[in-house]
Each structure stands twice: as structure tokens, then as C-alpha cells.
Amino acid sequence: MSSLRHSWRVKMTAQPTAIRVHPGATLRGTVSVPGDKSLSHRALILGALAEGTSRVRGWLPAGDTLATLHCVQALGIAVERVDAHTLSVHGRGLNGLQAPPAPLDCVNAGTAMRLLAGVLAGQSFASTLDGSEQLRRRPMRRITEPLRQMGAQIADTDGHAPLHIRPATLRGMAHTLPVASAQVKSGLLLAGLFADGPTTVSEPGPARDHTERMLRAMGAQIAVDGFRVTLTPGAPLRPLDLTVPGDPSSAAFVLVAALLAGDGEVRVTGVGINPTRTGLLDILAAMGGEVVCEGERLEGGEPVADLRVRRAELRGTTVGGDLIVRAIDEFPALMVAATQAAGETLVRDAEELRVKETDRIAVMAAELRKMGATVEELPDGFRIVGPQRLRGAVVQGHDDHRVAMALAVAGLLADGETIVEDAACAHDSFPGFVETMQALGAEMTWCSHD
Ligand code: S3P
């Protein structure tokens, strides 16, 4: 077996930590983006519970998903790297996980922590889930409370990690989520695999449904009725044979950059277009920025397409309701687009942005202001009136991958040089971000400014 931990860690830590951007270049060309982060986490966790070996192509080797890989390995699962992006996950069945020798380190990955909490709540051994200082600040009661209602024995630290989990017998039950969250829904469904009866999760909006799709493909008994999903335990999970599509949340940075600084056509091939993930495309269309989906196909139960986009004059729009969860990771990029759109862009109902890797409303507003932008923060969103002139500045990525990449895209539109410090976190979801932008003609490089 190759040493996954060693080879990828070394590559990642060798990277400089700031991104230098010069404006003026116009973007064109065809690129692909790395595999979907949500699917890459799930392929490891569900593959670990399958009876036999899953083959996962297009897997994302990024900071967040490597954290999940190391957790799964610590639970006794062998994972082989077949080639750069292909893994074999040697699942040991629903009862095959082993007690980890030490606390499981989810690093910055909220998805790893909340999904694994569900799996570990129903095991016959104790475990601890922990992570970085950043992850320790994120709310965990939203998963620990409903798990406790199922009978889980979890001690948290005032609603935060570390989570100490003791063996427990779980009851199947119906949950109604106050907030649409795919992480919480998934954690509860995974706990439901170990419960004594059906587990139902009702959510207030269309949170991404990758877990349901994957569980169904593996033979689990899953019933979906609107925004209500029921898992009935009992069926063993078949191994996966999965090709992970390109991550639409990574493609978002390329698409927004192309709309604002394109010249000719930019194409992003092989991107997931699951309808629970395409809110940004709908928002951009409402702003006058059309993203054309071509060659639509199904890969591993997920819809995929090639995306084509040209520079457009954007206009402001109003966003709220169900669109928020369908675009939840895309608001840092959208804030940059809003600065260039004519008129008002108003986003409401998006308070969840305040509990992501950072408070993305506050952090993006503060950093865009350093570039001369006027951004009005609202408790549950923001108002930006454009078009605004941005000026190059030294800004901070705050160890939040999507903030860092959004600011680098803003730098393409600013007068003068922009340096995004604390931007190595781009590797948490999009290794090769800078190189992908370079391939389209952007003047963007890694540097060692901070
Ligand atoms: C994710 C769900 C979303 C999203 C995150 C990935 C997932 O989080 O923001 O980046 O893979 O389930 P929430 O469940 O907190 O909304």
C-alpha cells in the first residue's frame, strides 16, 4: 500500500502561503476542477462501512478529505491509492470498524466531524472527535443533540469539539431539523444505520442529497418524500464503484472570474450539477450571467455536465429562501460578483454563513472593504450596490479556503496588485486553484509574503 499520508502532506506543506494577483489578464480556455469534496468525504466514510472493496475515481486529495482519510484509516480501514485520484477502500461492513488508538483529528473539516459523529455514536467502542482551533469554534450541538435523542452517549465541550463518544444502543426516530444542513442530515442517517428501527429526517429546505443517493446505490433502504428522508436499517451496504464529478463549489470561482474577466469562452468540464448544488448558476442567471450546461450525463448516480461561460455585464439581484442552501458555499464568490454588478444585490436568510469556517459575512465584508468596496452587513446576509471599483490591497484569507479564493478572484478585477495572505487553506478544497487560474491566463502566483 502506498503511503498516502506522507506523499500528500509533504506536497501540501511545501506550498507558499500567499497568493499574488495582478489584474488585467482576460481569461479563456478549458479546464477541469478537482473532485467534489462532499462526495469524496462520503465515499470514504460509506466505503468503510461497505462489505468489500469500493473503487473511487476522481477522489479529491485536499486538506479536508485527507483528514477524513486519516480518520477512516485510524478506524481500521485499509485505503490504497491506485493512482493519483483513484482509491480502493477496503470496507469491513457495518460492524467492522475498530477502536481508534487516539482522538480522531478532523482538522478543519466540519463534514468529517458531523458525519463521523453519526457513525461513531452507534459503535461498541469509545472514540473522540477533535479538530483545529477553527473547527473547535464551530457549533456541534446541532448534531450531538439529535444523536443524544437517539440514545447516543456524547460529551461535548459546551456545544463544541472535542466530542467524546461512548458505546450506546441507538433508537430509530423522526427528527425535524430547524436548519437545512446536509452535514446534520447525513450524520443522523448514518447513525440510523446502527439504530433499532427507521430514522426519518425532515429538513426545512433542499440540503445536498449526496448521502441519500450514495446509500441507495449501495443497497440501503432509503425513502424520500419531498424534504423528508427515511432510512430503514438492516440491509448490508454493497461496495461503491464511483467516479466523483468535479466540485461545483470549486468551479464557482472559475465561473465568476470568467463572467467578470473573461475574453472569449471559458469551459469547465465534468462538473457535478446535482440540483441541490446549482443555486449559484440560478443566481448568476438572474444577474444576467448565463452558464450553459452541455453534455449532461449521469455518473455514479449524480448529474454531471460541461459548463460554458462568457464575460457578461451583471446586474444586482435579490436572493433568499431555498436558494440559500443550494448555493451555501458560493457566497464568498457571489459577494465579489456583486461588487461588479449594476445595482443592488441583496442576500437574506443566510445566517448560516456566520458559522462556516469563518463568519463569511463579516470576514468577506471586512476584506472587500480593504479593497475599497462598500458592503453593508445584515444579520442574515448583505447588501452590495455596484458596480464598484476595487483597488489592489493586502488581504487575509483567514484560513478559510473559500474566502481566500474569492479574494484572489477579486484581485483579478482590482487596480494594482493584490496579495491574499493566509491562503494556503485553498488546498482544503481546491488543490491547483492558482494553477487552474493561470491556465486560463490569469496573473496569479503563489508567493511567500506572510
Ligand atoms: C456539506 C454541507 C454544507 C456545506 C459544506 C459541505 C456536506 O454544510 O456548507 O461545505 O458535505 O454535507 P452544512 O450542512 O453545515 O450546511
Side-chain angles (χ1 to χ4, degrees):
M1 187 180 309
S2 65
S3 169
L4 285 170
R5 182 186 294 251
H6 183 71
S7 58
W8 284 336
R9 276 266 165 90
V10 167
K11 265 187 217 155
M12 286 166 49
T13 51
Q15 292 276 10
T17 54
I19 299 174
R20 174 182 284 125
V21 191
H22 288 120
T26 46
L27 309 185
R28 63 160 69 215
T30 298
V31 291
S32 58
V33 291
D36 188 88
K37 183 159 79 71
S38 292
L39 285 165
S40 295
H41 283 298
R42 285 160 173 77
L44 281 167
I45 294 171
L46 289 169
L49 301 175
E51 303 224 325
T53 300
S54 292
R55 182 56 68 99
V56 187
R57 291 169 292 275
W59 187 75
L60 169 71
D64 278 13
T65 46
L66 285 166
T68 297
L69 172 73
H70 299 148
C71 290
V72 160
Q73 288 175 323
L75 290 164
I77 301 299
V79 181
E80 279 171 78
R81 185 182 186 178
V82 179
D83 61 40
H85 295 278
T86 307
L87 299 183
S88 287
V89 183
H90 296 282
R92 292 167 49 95
L94 286 168
N95 298 312
L97 298 183
Q98 292 168 0
L104 297 167
D105 184 1
C106 299
V107 194
N108 281 348
T111 307
M113 183 164 284
R114 293 184 179 129
L115 268 61
L116 285 170
V119 171
L120 295 172
Q123 302 301 317
S124 56
F125 53 80
S127 56
T128 296
L129 285 165
D130 205 352
S132 64
E133 283 306 313
Q134 184 193 78
L135 186 54
R136 282 181 171 201
R137 283 195 293 271
R138 298 186 64 187
M140 289 300 147
R141 239 175 227 135
R142 53 180 58 196
I143 183 70
T144 56
E145 271 307 317
L147 286 174
R148 282 190 197 109
Q149 286 165 19
M150 295 174 78
Q153 300 286 322
I154 305 181
D156 57 36
T157 313
D158 201 19
H160 296 87
L163 308 181
H164 301 288
I165 304 174
R166 283 186 288 125
T169 306
L170 301 185
R171 291 183 292 276
M173 61 174 285
H175 301 276
T176 300
L177 302 187
V179 172
S181 162
Q183 293 178 357
V184 175
K185 172 176 61 173
S186 301
L188 297 175
L189 292 175
L190 291 173
L193 290 170
F194 303 96
D196 62 359
T199 296
T200 297
V201 184
S202 302
E203 48 183 352
R208 62 195 69 186
D209 62 356
H210 305 303
T211 303
E212 297 91 299
R213 286 176 187 247
M214 211 178 267
L215 279 170
R216 185 179 293 120
M218 298 174 84
Q221 204 182 322
I222 284 268
V224 178
D225 175 14
F227 296 155
R228 192 172 63 215
V229 46
T230 300
L231 174 115
T232 304
L237 298 182
R238 290 192 295 268
L240 284 163
D241 183 14
L242 178 70
T243 300
V244 179
D247 195 325
S249 298
S250 297
F253 299 103
V254 179
L255 298 175
V256 167
L259 278 168
L260 301 176
D263 166 34
E265 208 164 83
V266 170
R267 295 180 77 237
V268 192
T269 56
V271 181
I273 54 160
N274 179 316
T276 60
R277 301 286 300 279
T278 50
L280 179 73
L281 303 191
D282 295 348
I283 296 168
L284 291 175
M287 296 174 85
E290 200 194 357
V291 178
V292 181
C293 296
E294 293 177 333
E296 287 185 37
R297 56 214 182 253
L298 260 191
E299 282 177 13
E302 291 279 346
V304 178
D306 303 325
L307 307 183
R308 187 160 55 78
V309 68
R310 284 177 176 274
R311 186 193 176 101
E313 296 300 322
L314 299 183
R315 52 182 183 272
T317 188
T318 298
V319 183
D322 283 356
L323 210 39
I324 298 296
V325 69
R326 294 180 50 240
I328 191 67
D329 291 334
E330 280 58 89
F331 286 96
L334 183 69
M335 286 176 91
V336 175
T339 66
Q340 304 308 299
E344 177 186 90
T345 297
L346 176 65
V347 171
R348 306 305 305 257
D349 306 327
E351 47 277 279
E352 273 298 292
L353 294 177
R354 295 201 180 273
V355 291
K356 294 297 177 187
E357 281 79 340
T358 57
D359 175 342
R360 286 183 173 158
I361 299 173
V363 162
M364 281 300 297
E367 297 306 319
L368 285 172
R369 283 182 196 127
K370 291 181 188 166
M371 301 180 78
T374 303
V375 179
E376 187 187 342
E377 255 193 71
L378 303 171
D380 62 345
F382 56 87
R383 177 186 283 114
I384 295 177
V385 180
Q388 301 185 15
R389 215 169 158 152
L390 299 179
R391 56 169 189 269
V394 177
V395 291
Q396 304 295 322
H398 294 263
D399 199 21
D400 181 336
H401 51 132
R402 303 207 197 278
V403 167
M405 291 187 278
L407 294 171
V409 171
L412 294 173
L413 313 162
D415 297 333
E417 179 178 273
T418 294
I419 305 278
V420 186
E421 292 183 337
D422 195 8
C425 51
H427 299 294
D428 283 353
S429 62
F430 193 166
F433 164 69
V434 166
E435 295 73 11
T436 302
M437 299 304 290
Q438 285 170 349
L440 292 171
E443 273 195 60
M444 203 183 270
T445 49
W446 284 105
C447 67
S448 298
H449 190 260
D450 50 349

